[in-house]
Amino acid sequence: MDEGRLTARLRSANPWAVDIGLTLLVQAAMTIPFLTERPTGLRPATSADYALMTLMVLPLVWRRRAPVTVMLAVLTAGSLYKLTLDGPGQPLPYSGLIALYTVAALSPVRQRLGMAALTAALIAPSVALNTQDTREMLFSFFVFGAAYALGRLTHTRQAYTAAVEDRAAQLERANRIEAEQAAARERARIAREMHDILSHAVSIMIVQAEAGPLAVRAAPERAEAAFDAISETGRDAMVQLRRMLGVLREAPESPRRPQPGLAELPELIGRVASGGPSVTYETTGEPRALPPDLETTLYRITQEALTNAVKHARADAISVQLAYDDGELALTVTDDGRGPGAASGPGTGHGLIGISERAAAHGGTAWSGAGPDGGFQVRARLPHTATNTRKTAALLMKTEV
């Protein structure tokens, strides 16, 4: 077992069990002189000697709970043993060393300095009553000083370990919160993608299906085009949904491709206009290369605005305008439908919320409301600087799901 694992096991052990084990070990060490014959001229050790020696050891069981009280008890018992009895001596003052170590490790500064001073004051009289040897006095000062220093080092190490563990716990909590927030953002992103795909496809299919019976009687060729548009829209929605579900399942065989961008806008407009309203697309300003995630946002905002125009406004004409200005893009989708509040059926408003969220993710803004000549209008202004692109890189997915 390596040192790290041993230290971990000792730290996790029951403190009472550790202190009782330590007390028994010290008791065994201090019993050894009682098991050997004493030099000639000294009386044999008695049970009273052993009992008083035990009183120097027994308080160690409570050393963590009351360090100063245990230290005083050990010093008092040791003094009585030295002054009243002529029992066997000890190679080292084990109880006193452990008690002073505990005081240094656990007690406040005033208490530990007071006990250190008391111990130092008792060393000289103790040596004077024993051997009166200078070497013994220096050695006693050394071992008690080492016990005190070791206690302070232990205190410092424990404080450092506690700080590291607290920091690790804080980092773990922060990582968990960040992961939860990332999961929430991803759920919102997936919800937007699902809404955009399904809402657009179903709306176009409903419009074409409703127009089909009339076209069959009036213009059969238009009915055929309507049914072709329904079929094409449904297949496209199924392909996009399969990609999304494949990525969610982490299926390696699931095809992946770049998300739709401005190059796919004419195809989107063509599907909407097929058998439905008239849709025009116009760009102004000098076109420029845009980041893929920004192009995807423009595509999805346009898709949702067209879906609203077809599904709710029942528009006959829709205008899509994209303006390249200095530092930003302006997208405007205007229809001549029945205007806001004239929805053809119940809705949740998720589409307009999704438009606002997509614009905000790029540091832009979105507005929707009545058009200047009636109908309904959606406007979005998105900056396209490199700084804003970097900020949104972590928020928007760059592959089709």
PDB file of all heavy atoms in Angstrom, residues 228-267:
ATOM      1  N   ASP A 228     -46.779  17.585 -56.054  1.00  0.00           N
ATOM      2  CA  ASP A 228     -45.324  17.412 -56.101  1.00  0.00           C
ATOM      3  C   ASP A 228     -44.641  18.219 -54.995  1.00  0.00           C
ATOM      4  O   ASP A 228     -43.668  17.753 -54.378  1.00  0.00           O
ATOM      5  CB  ASP A 228     -44.798  17.869 -57.463  1.00  0.00           C
ATOM      6  CG  ASP A 228     -45.179  16.908 -58.583  1.00  0.00           C
ATOM      7  OD1 ASP A 228     -45.530  15.749 -58.253  1.00  0.00           O
ATOM      8  OD2 ASP A 228     -45.127  17.324 -59.753  1.00  0.00           O
ATOM      9  N   ALA A 229     -45.145  19.427 -54.735  1.00  0.00           N
ATOM     10  CA  ALA A 229     -44.560  20.256 -53.672  1.00  0.00           C
ATOM     11  C   ALA A 229     -44.776  19.612 -52.310  1.00  0.00           C
ATOM     12  O   ALA A 229     -43.883  19.641 -51.443  1.00  0.00           O
ATOM     13  CB  ALA A 229     -45.181  21.653 -53.701  1.00  0.00           C
ATOM     14  N   ILE A 230     -45.973  19.046 -52.097  1.00  0.00           N
ATOM     15  CA  ILE A 230     -46.229  18.349 -50.826  1.00  0.00           C
ATOM     16  C   ILE A 230     -45.254  17.198 -50.643  1.00  0.00           C
ATOM     17  O   ILE A 230     -44.648  17.018 -49.573  1.00  0.00           O
ATOM     18  CB  ILE A 230     -47.683  17.834 -50.786  1.00  0.00           C
ATOM     19  CG1 ILE A 230     -48.661  19.013 -50.707  1.00  0.00           C
ATOM     20  CG2 ILE A 230     -47.888  16.896 -49.590  1.00  0.00           C
ATOM     21  CD1 ILE A 230     -50.105  18.604 -50.820  1.00  0.00           C
ATOM     22  N   SER A 231     -45.085  16.412 -51.706  1.00  0.00           N
ATOM     23  CA  SER A 231     -44.181  15.264 -51.619  1.00  0.00           C
ATOM     24  C   SER A 231     -42.745  15.693 -51.366  1.00  0.00           C
ATOM     25  O   SER A 231     -42.047  15.149 -50.506  1.00  0.00           O
ATOM     26  CB  SER A 231     -44.268  14.444 -52.907  1.00  0.00           C
ATOM     27  OG  SER A 231     -43.349  13.379 -52.893  1.00  0.00           O
ATOM     28  N   GLU A 232     -42.279  16.721 -52.095  1.00  0.00           N
ATOM     29  CA  GLU A 232     -40.909  17.189 -51.928  1.00  0.00           C
ATOM     30  C   GLU A 232     -40.678  17.767 -50.544  1.00  0.00           C
ATOM     31  O   GLU A 232     -39.646  17.510 -49.905  1.00  0.00           O
ATOM     32  CB  GLU A 232     -40.599  18.231 -53.002  1.00  0.00           C
ATOM     33  CG  GLU A 232     -39.166  18.773 -52.932  1.00  0.00           C
ATOM     34  CD  GLU A 232     -38.907  19.842 -53.975  1.00  0.00           C
ATOM     35  OE1 GLU A 232     -39.798  20.072 -54.821  1.00  0.00           O
ATOM     36  OE2 GLU A 232     -37.816  20.443 -53.935  1.00  0.00           O
ATOM     37  N   THR A 233     -41.633  18.559 -50.049  1.00  0.00           N
ATOM     38  CA  THR A 233     -41.501  19.150 -48.715  1.00  0.00           C
ATOM     39  C   THR A 233     -41.469  18.069 -47.643  1.00  0.00           C
ATOM     40  O   THR A 233     -40.672  18.132 -46.689  1.00  0.00           O
ATOM     41  CB  THR A 233     -42.662  20.115 -48.453  1.00  0.00           C
ATOM     42  OG1 THR A 233     -42.664  21.131 -49.450  1.00  0.00           O
ATOM     43  CG2 THR A 233     -42.517  20.764 -47.075  1.00  0.00           C
ATOM     44  N   GLY A 234     -42.323  17.075 -47.776  1.00  0.00           N
ATOM     45  CA  GLY A 234     -42.331  15.992 -46.795  1.00  0.00           C
ATOM     46  C   GLY A 234     -41.041  15.210 -46.784  1.00  0.00           C
ATOM     47  O   GLY A 234     -40.509  14.870 -45.717  1.00  0.00           O
ATOM     48  N   ARG A 235     -40.522  14.907 -47.989  1.00  0.00           N
ATOM     49  CA  ARG A 235     -39.254  14.168 -48.041  1.00  0.00           C
ATOM     50  C   ARG A 235     -38.121  14.977 -47.435  1.00  0.00           C
ATOM     51  O   ARG A 235     -37.270  14.439 -46.710  1.00  0.00           O
ATOM     52  CB  ARG A 235     -38.933  13.800 -49.491  1.00  0.00           C
ATOM     53  CG  ARG A 235     -39.725  12.624 -50.027  1.00  0.00           C
ATOM     54  CD  ARG A 235     -39.110  12.095 -51.318  1.00  0.00           C
ATOM     55  NE  ARG A 235     -39.114  13.115 -52.362  1.00  0.00           N
ATOM     56  CZ  ARG A 235     -40.088  13.273 -53.252  1.00  0.00           C
ATOM     57  NH1 ARG A 235     -41.158  12.477 -53.203  1.00  0.00           N
ATOM     58  NH2 ARG A 235     -40.011  14.208 -54.179  1.00  0.00           N
ATOM     59  N   ASP A 236     -38.076  16.282 -47.733  1.00  0.00           N
ATOM     60  CA  ASP A 236     -37.017  17.123 -47.175  1.00  0.00           C
ATOM     61  C   ASP A 236     -37.100  17.179 -45.660  1.00  0.00           C
ATOM     62  O   ASP A 236     -36.069  17.109 -44.967  1.00  0.00           O
ATOM     63  CB  ASP A 236     -37.131  18.539 -47.755  1.00  0.00           C
ATOM     64  CG  ASP A 236     -36.030  19.457 -47.234  1.00  0.00           C
ATOM     65  OD1 ASP A 236     -34.877  19.284 -47.641  1.00  0.00           O
ATOM     66  OD2 ASP A 236     -36.355  20.337 -46.412  1.00  0.00           O
ATOM     67  N   ALA A 237     -38.321  17.284 -45.114  1.00  0.00           N
ATOM     68  CA  ALA A 237     -38.474  17.311 -43.659  1.00  0.00           C
ATOM     69  C   ALA A 237     -38.024  15.999 -43.042  1.00  0.00           C
ATOM     70  O   ALA A 237     -37.361  15.974 -41.990  1.00  0.00           O
ATOM     71  CB  ALA A 237     -39.932  17.596 -43.291  1.00  0.00           C
ATOM     72  N   MET A 238     -38.354  14.877 -43.698  1.00  0.00           N
ATOM     73  CA  MET A 238     -37.941  13.571 -43.159  1.00  0.00           C
ATOM     74  C   MET A 238     -36.424  13.430 -43.168  1.00  0.00           C
ATOM     75  O   MET A 238     -35.831  12.889 -42.227  1.00  0.00           O
ATOM     76  CB  MET A 238     -38.583  12.459 -43.986  1.00  0.00           C
ATOM     77  CG  MET A 238     -40.083  12.311 -43.761  1.00  0.00           C
ATOM     78  SD  MET A 238     -40.489  11.944 -42.034  1.00  0.00           S
ATOM     79  CE  MET A 238     -39.673  10.369 -41.826  1.00  0.00           C
ATOM     80  N   VAL A 239     -35.778  13.910 -44.239  1.00  0.00           N
ATOM     81  CA  VAL A 239     -34.314  13.826 -44.295  1.00  0.00           C
ATOM     82  C   VAL A 239     -33.687  14.626 -43.160  1.00  0.00           C
ATOM     83  O   VAL A 239     -32.770  14.161 -42.471  1.00  0.00           O
ATOM     84  CB  VAL A 239     -33.811  14.328 -45.663  1.00  0.00           C
ATOM     85  CG1 VAL A 239     -32.285  14.513 -45.638  1.00  0.00           C
ATOM     86  CG2 VAL A 239     -34.191  13.348 -46.763  1.00  0.00           C
ATOM     87  N   GLN A 240     -34.178  15.836 -42.941  1.00  0.00           N
ATOM     88  CA  GLN A 240     -33.612  16.667 -41.868  1.00  0.00           C
ATOM     89  C   GLN A 240     -33.874  16.068 -40.497  1.00  0.00           C
ATOM     90  O   GLN A 240     -33.001  16.103 -39.616  1.00  0.00           O
ATOM     91  CB  GLN A 240     -34.209  18.082 -41.954  1.00  0.00           C
ATOM     92  CG  GLN A 240     -33.808  18.829 -43.213  1.00  0.00           C
ATOM     93  CD  GLN A 240     -34.185  20.296 -43.157  1.00  0.00           C
ATOM     94  OE1 GLN A 240     -33.747  21.017 -42.271  1.00  0.00           O
ATOM     95  NE2 GLN A 240     -35.011  20.730 -44.103  1.00  0.00           N
ATOM     96  N   LEU A 241     -35.063  15.494 -40.299  1.00  0.00           N
ATOM     97  CA  LEU A 241     -35.361  14.871 -39.010  1.00  0.00           C
ATOM     98  C   LEU A 241     -34.495  13.648 -38.781  1.00  0.00           C
ATOM     99  O   LEU A 241     -34.036  13.392 -37.660  1.00  0.00           O
ATOM    100  CB  LEU A 241     -36.842  14.491 -38.939  1.00  0.00           C
ATOM    101  CG  LEU A 241     -37.820  15.662 -38.769  1.00  0.00           C
ATOM    102  CD1 LEU A 241     -39.251  15.160 -38.822  1.00  0.00           C
ATOM    103  CD2 LEU A 241     -37.568  16.372 -37.447  1.00  0.00           C
ATOM    104  N   ARG A 242     -34.254  12.867 -39.830  1.00  0.00           N
ATOM    105  CA  ARG A 242     -33.384  11.690 -39.667  1.00  0.00           C
ATOM    106  C   ARG A 242     -31.971  12.119 -39.273  1.00  0.00           C
ATOM    107  O   ARG A 242     -31.323  11.473 -38.449  1.00  0.00           O
ATOM    108  CB  ARG A 242     -33.346  10.878 -40.973  1.00  0.00           C
ATOM    109  CG  ARG A 242     -34.617  10.087 -41.246  1.00  0.00           C
ATOM    110  CD  ARG A 242     -34.375   9.046 -42.336  1.00  0.00           C
ATOM    111  NE  ARG A 242     -35.622   8.439 -42.747  1.00  0.00           N
ATOM    112  CZ  ARG A 242     -36.304   8.757 -43.835  1.00  0.00           C
ATOM    113  NH1 ARG A 242     -35.837   9.714 -44.638  1.00  0.00           N
ATOM    114  NH2 ARG A 242     -37.424   8.154 -44.143  1.00  0.00           N
ATOM    115  N   ARG A 243     -31.483  13.185 -39.889  1.00  0.00           N
ATOM    116  CA  ARG A 243     -30.147  13.672 -39.520  1.00  0.00           C
ATOM    117  C   ARG A 243     -30.109  14.099 -38.055  1.00  0.00           C
ATOM    118  O   ARG A 243     -29.173  13.777 -37.317  1.00  0.00           O
ATOM    119  CB  ARG A 243     -29.754  14.855 -40.409  1.00  0.00           C
ATOM    120  CG  ARG A 243     -29.483  14.483 -41.852  1.00  0.00           C
ATOM    121  CD  ARG A 243     -28.742  15.620 -42.554  1.00  0.00           C
ATOM    122  NE  ARG A 243     -28.623  15.347 -43.970  1.00  0.00           N
ATOM    123  CZ  ARG A 243     -29.414  15.872 -44.893  1.00  0.00           C
ATOM    124  NH1 ARG A 243     -30.374  16.701 -44.526  1.00  0.00           N
ATOM    125  NH2 ARG A 243     -29.245  15.590 -46.161  1.00  0.00           N
ATOM    126  N   MET A 244     -31.137  14.831 -37.642  1.00  0.00           N
ATOM    127  CA  MET A 244     -31.172  15.292 -36.262  1.00  0.00           C
ATOM    128  C   MET A 244     -31.226  14.125 -35.291  1.00  0.00           C
ATOM    129  O   MET A 244     -30.456  14.057 -34.325  1.00  0.00           O
ATOM    130  CB  MET A 244     -32.372  16.217 -36.042  1.00  0.00           C
ATOM    131  CG  MET A 244     -32.503  16.729 -34.612  1.00  0.00           C
ATOM    132  SD  MET A 244     -33.857  17.883 -34.434  1.00  0.00           S
ATOM    133  CE  MET A 244     -33.227  19.269 -35.362  1.00  0.00           C
ATOM    134  N   LEU A 245     -32.099  13.170 -35.523  1.00  0.00           N
ATOM    135  CA  LEU A 245     -32.216  12.026 -34.630  1.00  0.00           C
ATOM    136  C   LEU A 245     -30.967  11.171 -34.670  1.00  0.00           C
ATOM    137  O   LEU A 245     -30.554  10.596 -33.655  1.00  0.00           O
ATOM    138  CB  LEU A 245     -33.443  11.186 -35.006  1.00  0.00           C
ATOM    139  CG  LEU A 245     -34.799  11.891 -34.821  1.00  0.00           C
ATOM    140  CD1 LEU A 245     -35.926  11.004 -35.324  1.00  0.00           C
ATOM    141  CD2 LEU A 245     -35.014  12.246 -33.363  1.00  0.00           C
ATOM    142  N   GLY A 246     -30.332  11.087 -35.828  1.00  0.00           N
ATOM    143  CA  GLY A 246     -29.096  10.310 -35.922  1.00  0.00           C
ATOM    144  C   GLY A 246     -27.995  10.903 -35.086  1.00  0.00           C
ATOM    145  O   GLY A 246     -27.257  10.196 -34.398  1.00  0.00           O
ATOM    146  N   VAL A 247     -27.866  12.238 -35.095  1.00  0.00           N
ATOM    147  CA  VAL A 247     -26.841  12.886 -34.268  1.00  0.00           C
ATOM    148  C   VAL A 247     -27.170  12.738 -32.790  1.00  0.00           C
ATOM    149  O   VAL A 247     -26.289  12.511 -31.956  1.00  0.00           O
ATOM    150  CB  VAL A 247     -26.723  14.375 -34.658  1.00  0.00           C
ATOM    151  CG1 VAL A 247     -25.835  15.117 -33.676  1.00  0.00           C
ATOM    152  CG2 VAL A 247     -26.159  14.499 -36.062  1.00  0.00           C
ATOM    153  N   LEU A 248     -28.463  12.857 -32.432  1.00  0.00           N
ATOM    154  CA  LEU A 248     -28.840  12.710 -31.031  1.00  0.00           C
ATOM    155  C   LEU A 248     -28.522  11.315 -30.522  1.00  0.00           C
ATOM    156  O   LEU A 248     -28.180  11.125 -29.358  1.00  0.00           O
ATOM    157  CB  LEU A 248     -30.332  13.005 -30.860  1.00  0.00           C
ATOM    158  CG  LEU A 248     -30.749  14.464 -31.076  1.00  0.00           C
ATOM    159  CD1 LEU A 248     -32.256  14.600 -30.933  1.00  0.00           C
ATOM    160  CD2 LEU A 248     -30.043  15.371 -30.098  1.00  0.00           C
ATOM    161  N   ARG A 249     -28.642  10.319 -31.406  1.00  0.00           N
ATOM    162  CA  ARG A 249     -28.317   8.942 -31.003  1.00  0.00           C
ATOM    163  C   ARG A 249     -26.843   8.633 -31.168  1.00  0.00           C
ATOM    164  O   ARG A 249     -26.400   7.522 -30.901  1.00  0.00           O
ATOM    165  CB  ARG A 249     -29.118   7.957 -31.856  1.00  0.00           C
ATOM    166  CG  ARG A 249     -30.632   8.055 -31.682  1.00  0.00           C
ATOM    167  CD  ARG A 249     -31.288   6.896 -32.408  1.00  0.00           C
ATOM    168  NE  ARG A 249     -32.730   7.013 -32.357  1.00  0.00           N
ATOM    169  CZ  ARG A 249     -33.517   7.221 -33.420  1.00  0.00           C
ATOM    170  NH1 ARG A 249     -32.974   7.315 -34.614  1.00  0.00           N
ATOM    171  NH2 ARG A 249     -34.821   7.316 -33.297  1.00  0.00           N
ATOM    172  N   GLU A 250     -26.084   9.597 -31.710  1.00  0.00           N
ATOM    173  CA  GLU A 250     -24.660   9.413 -31.987  1.00  0.00           C
ATOM    174  C   GLU A 250     -24.437   8.242 -32.915  1.00  0.00           C
ATOM    175  O   GLU A 250     -23.521   7.437 -32.750  1.00  0.00           O
ATOM    176  CB  GLU A 250     -23.867   9.218 -30.682  1.00  0.00           C
ATOM    177  CG  GLU A 250     -23.931  10.398 -29.757  1.00  0.00           C
ATOM    178  CD  GLU A 250     -23.110  10.209 -28.512  1.00  0.00           C
ATOM    179  OE1 GLU A 250     -22.653   9.074 -28.306  1.00  0.00           O
ATOM    180  OE2 GLU A 250     -22.918  11.181 -27.772  1.00  0.00           O
ATOM    181  N   ALA A 251     -25.301   8.119 -33.904  1.00  0.00           N
ATOM    182  CA  ALA A 251     -25.179   7.033 -34.871  1.00  0.00           C
ATOM    183  C   ALA A 251     -24.096   7.385 -35.882  1.00  0.00           C
ATOM    184  O   ALA A 251     -24.197   8.399 -36.576  1.00  0.00           O
ATOM    185  CB  ALA A 251     -26.510   6.826 -35.592  1.00  0.00           C
ATOM    186  N   PRO A 252     -23.023   6.561 -36.017  1.00  0.00           N
ATOM    187  CA  PRO A 252     -21.943   6.900 -36.934  1.00  0.00           C
ATOM    188  C   PRO A 252     -22.371   6.861 -38.390  1.00  0.00           C
ATOM    189  O   PRO A 252     -21.782   7.515 -39.232  1.00  0.00           O
ATOM    190  CB  PRO A 252     -20.878   5.830 -36.638  1.00  0.00           C
ATOM    191  CG  PRO A 252     -21.628   4.698 -36.025  1.00  0.00           C
ATOM    192  CD  PRO A 252     -22.783   5.316 -35.287  1.00  0.00           C
ATOM    193  N   GLU A 253     -23.416   6.067 -38.698  1.00  0.00           N
ATOM    194  CA  GLU A 253     -23.831   5.976 -40.089  1.00  0.00           C
ATOM    195  C   GLU A 253     -24.725   7.126 -40.501  1.00  0.00           C
ATOM    196  O   GLU A 253     -25.085   7.261 -41.662  1.00  0.00           O
ATOM    197  CB  GLU A 253     -24.579   4.658 -40.326  1.00  0.00           C
ATOM    198  CG  GLU A 253     -25.936   4.554 -39.629  1.00  0.00           C
ATOM    199  CD  GLU A 253     -25.811   4.097 -38.182  1.00  0.00           C
ATOM    200  OE1 GLU A 253     -24.664   3.973 -37.716  1.00  0.00           O
ATOM    201  OE2 GLU A 253     -26.843   3.844 -37.543  1.00  0.00           O
ATOM    202  N   SER A 254     -25.104   7.986 -39.545  1.00  0.00           N
ATOM    203  CA  SER A 254     -25.995   9.092 -39.874  1.00  0.00           C
ATOM    204  C   SER A 254     -25.253  10.129 -40.710  1.00  0.00           C
ATOM    205  O   SER A 254     -24.179  10.599 -40.321  1.00  0.00           O
ATOM    206  CB  SER A 254     -26.513   9.759 -38.592  1.00  0.00           C
ATOM    207  OG  SER A 254     -27.312  10.863 -38.908  1.00  0.00           O
ATOM    208  N   PRO A 255     -25.774  10.508 -41.897  1.00  0.00           N
ATOM    209  CA  PRO A 255     -25.072  11.477 -42.739  1.00  0.00           C
ATOM    210  C   PRO A 255     -25.061  12.853 -42.104  1.00  0.00           C
ATOM    211  O   PRO A 255     -25.982  13.230 -41.402  1.00  0.00           O
ATOM    212  CB  PRO A 255     -25.890  11.466 -44.033  1.00  0.00           C
ATOM    213  CG  PRO A 255     -27.266  11.047 -43.603  1.00  0.00           C
ATOM    214  CD  PRO A 255     -27.063  10.087 -42.461  1.00  0.00           C
ATOM    215  N   ARG A 256     -23.995  13.576 -42.345  1.00  0.00           N
ATOM    216  CA  ARG A 256     -23.868  14.931 -41.828  1.00  0.00           C
ATOM    217  C   ARG A 256     -23.453  15.840 -42.983  1.00  0.00           C
ATOM    218  O   ARG A 256     -22.682  15.453 -43.859  1.00  0.00           O
ATOM    219  CB  ARG A 256     -22.820  15.008 -40.710  1.00  0.00           C
ATOM    220  CG  ARG A 256     -23.198  14.218 -39.493  1.00  0.00           C
ATOM    221  CD  ARG A 256     -22.002  14.082 -38.564  1.00  0.00           C
ATOM    222  NE  ARG A 256     -21.649  15.346 -37.959  1.00  0.00           N
ATOM    223  CZ  ARG A 256     -22.067  15.745 -36.765  1.00  0.00           C
ATOM    224  NH1 ARG A 256     -22.852  14.981 -36.055  1.00  0.00           N
ATOM    225  NH2 ARG A 256     -21.700  16.906 -36.271  1.00  0.00           N
ATOM    226  N   ARG A 257     -23.952  17.044 -42.999  1.00  0.00           N
ATOM    227  CA  ARG A 257     -23.595  18.020 -44.008  1.00  0.00           C
ATOM    228  C   ARG A 257     -23.691  19.400 -43.383  1.00  0.00           C
ATOM    229  O   ARG A 257     -24.299  19.558 -42.321  1.00  0.00           O
ATOM    230  CB  ARG A 257     -24.523  17.904 -45.211  1.00  0.00           C
ATOM    231  CG  ARG A 257     -25.930  18.398 -44.924  1.00  0.00           C
ATOM    232  CD  ARG A 257     -26.798  18.358 -46.164  1.00  0.00           C
ATOM    233  NE  ARG A 257     -28.099  18.952 -45.894  1.00  0.00           N
ATOM    234  CZ  ARG A 257     -29.088  19.005 -46.771  1.00  0.00           C
ATOM    235  NH1 ARG A 257     -28.911  18.482 -47.964  1.00  0.00           N
ATOM    236  NH2 ARG A 257     -30.236  19.565 -46.458  1.00  0.00           N
ATOM    237  N   PRO A 258     -23.102  20.412 -44.026  1.00  0.00           N
ATOM    238  CA  PRO A 258     -23.222  21.767 -43.465  1.00  0.00           C
ATOM    239  C   PRO A 258     -24.675  22.181 -43.341  1.00  0.00           C
ATOM    240  O   PRO A 258     -25.530  21.788 -44.139  1.00  0.00           O
ATOM    241  CB  PRO A 258     -22.463  22.622 -44.486  1.00  0.00           C
ATOM    242  CG  PRO A 258     -21.530  21.677 -45.167  1.00  0.00           C
ATOM    243  CD  PRO A 258     -22.255  20.356 -45.213  1.00  0.00           C
ATOM    244  N   GLN A 259     -24.956  22.980 -42.341  1.00  0.00           N
ATOM    245  CA  GLN A 259     -26.315  23.487 -42.182  1.00  0.00           C
ATOM    246  C   GLN A 259     -26.660  24.406 -43.349  1.00  0.00           C
ATOM    247  O   GLN A 259     -25.777  24.978 -43.988  1.00  0.00           O
ATOM    248  CB  GLN A 259     -26.435  24.246 -40.855  1.00  0.00           C
ATOM    249  CG  GLN A 259     -26.395  23.340 -39.646  1.00  0.00           C
ATOM    250  CD  GLN A 259     -27.193  23.934 -38.505  1.00  0.00           C
ATOM    251  OE1 GLN A 259     -28.387  24.159 -38.645  1.00  0.00           O
ATOM    252  NE2 GLN A 259     -26.545  24.165 -37.391  1.00  0.00           N
ATOM    253  N   PRO A 260     -27.960  24.556 -43.619  1.00  0.00           N
ATOM    254  CA  PRO A 260     -28.345  25.410 -44.747  1.00  0.00           C
ATOM    255  C   PRO A 260     -27.907  26.843 -44.525  1.00  0.00           C
ATOM    256  O   PRO A 260     -27.901  27.345 -43.401  1.00  0.00           O
ATOM    257  CB  PRO A 260     -29.873  25.277 -44.780  1.00  0.00           C
ATOM    258  CG  PRO A 260     -30.250  24.852 -43.402  1.00  0.00           C
ATOM    259  CD  PRO A 260     -29.124  23.994 -42.933  1.00  0.00           C
ATOM    260  N   GLY A 261     -27.544  27.506 -45.626  1.00  0.00           N
ATOM    261  CA  GLY A 261     -27.113  28.898 -45.567  1.00  0.00           C
ATOM    262  C   GLY A 261     -27.838  29.732 -46.599  1.00  0.00           C
ATOM    263  O   GLY A 261     -28.899  29.351 -47.116  1.00  0.00           O
ATOM    264  N   LEU A 262     -27.248  30.865 -46.948  1.00  0.00           N
ATOM    265  CA  LEU A 262     -27.899  31.775 -47.894  1.00  0.00           C
ATOM    266  C   LEU A 262     -28.006  31.169 -49.281  1.00  0.00           C
ATOM    267  O   LEU A 262     -28.919  31.525 -50.051  1.00  0.00           O
ATOM    268  CB  LEU A 262     -27.115  33.089 -47.945  1.00  0.00           C
ATOM    269  CG  LEU A 262     -27.080  33.902 -46.643  1.00  0.00           C
ATOM    270  CD1 LEU A 262     -26.303  35.197 -46.843  1.00  0.00           C
ATOM    271  CD2 LEU A 262     -28.487  34.202 -46.152  1.00  0.00           C
ATOM    272  N   ALA A 263     -27.105  30.252 -49.619  1.00  0.00           N
ATOM    273  CA  ALA A 263     -27.177  29.628 -50.935  1.00  0.00           C
ATOM    274  C   ALA A 263     -28.434  28.778 -51.098  1.00  0.00           C
ATOM    275  O   ALA A 263     -28.890  28.548 -52.226  1.00  0.00           O
ATOM    276  CB  ALA A 263     -25.932  28.767 -51.176  1.00  0.00           C
ATOM    277  N   GLU A 264     -28.993  28.313 -49.977  1.00  0.00           N
ATOM    278  CA  GLU A 264     -30.202  27.485 -50.042  1.00  0.00           C
ATOM    279  C   GLU A 264     -31.488  28.305 -49.967  1.00  0.00           C
ATOM    280  O   GLU A 264     -32.577  27.734 -50.047  1.00  0.00           O
ATOM    281  CB  GLU A 264     -30.200  26.453 -48.906  1.00  0.00           C
ATOM    282  CG  GLU A 264     -29.245  25.285 -49.111  1.00  0.00           C
ATOM    283  CD  GLU A 264     -27.798  25.663 -48.899  1.00  0.00           C
ATOM    284  OE1 GLU A 264     -27.545  26.607 -48.118  1.00  0.00           O
ATOM    285  OE2 GLU A 264     -26.930  25.034 -49.527  1.00  0.00           O
ATOM    286  N   LEU A 265     -31.375  29.617 -49.788  1.00  0.00           N
ATOM    287  CA  LEU A 265     -32.587  30.434 -49.695  1.00  0.00           C
ATOM    288  C   LEU A 265     -33.457  30.385 -50.953  1.00  0.00           C
ATOM    289  O   LEU A 265     -34.690  30.285 -50.856  1.00  0.00           O
ATOM    290  CB  LEU A 265     -32.219  31.889 -49.379  1.00  0.00           C
ATOM    291  CG  LEU A 265     -32.107  32.261 -47.891  1.00  0.00           C
ATOM    292  CD1 LEU A 265     -31.820  33.750 -47.737  1.00  0.00           C
ATOM    293  CD2 LEU A 265     -33.371  31.895 -47.142  1.00  0.00           C
ATOM    294  N   PRO A 266     -32.892  30.467 -52.167  1.00  0.00           N
ATOM    295  CA  PRO A 266     -33.751  30.370 -53.350  1.00  0.00           C
ATOM    296  C   PRO A 266     -34.555  29.076 -53.396  1.00  0.00           C
ATOM    297  O   PRO A 266     -35.730  29.078 -53.780  1.00  0.00           O
ATOM    298  CB  PRO A 266     -32.757  30.456 -54.511  1.00  0.00           C
ATOM    299  CG  PRO A 266     -31.611  31.236 -53.957  1.00  0.00           C
ATOM    300  CD  PRO A 266     -31.494  30.797 -52.533  1.00  0.00           C
ATOM    301  N   GLU A 267     -33.935  27.956 -52.993  1.00  0.00           N
ATOM    302  CA  GLU A 267     -34.669  26.687 -52.969  1.00  0.00           C
ATOM    303  C   GLU A 267     -35.813  26.745 -51.962  1.00  0.00           C
ATOM    304  O   GLU A 267     -36.921  26.259 -52.223  1.00  0.00           O
ATOM    305  CB  GLU A 267     -33.715  25.549 -52.636  1.00  0.00           C
ATOM    306  CG  GLU A 267     -34.377  24.186 -52.590  1.00  0.00           C
ATOM    307  CD  GLU A 267     -33.393  23.092 -52.203  1.00  0.00           C
ATOM    308  OE1 GLU A 267     -32.180  23.372 -52.122  1.00  0.00           O
ATOM    309  OE2 GLU A 267     -33.847  21.959 -51.964  1.00  0.00           O
TER     310      GLU A 267
END
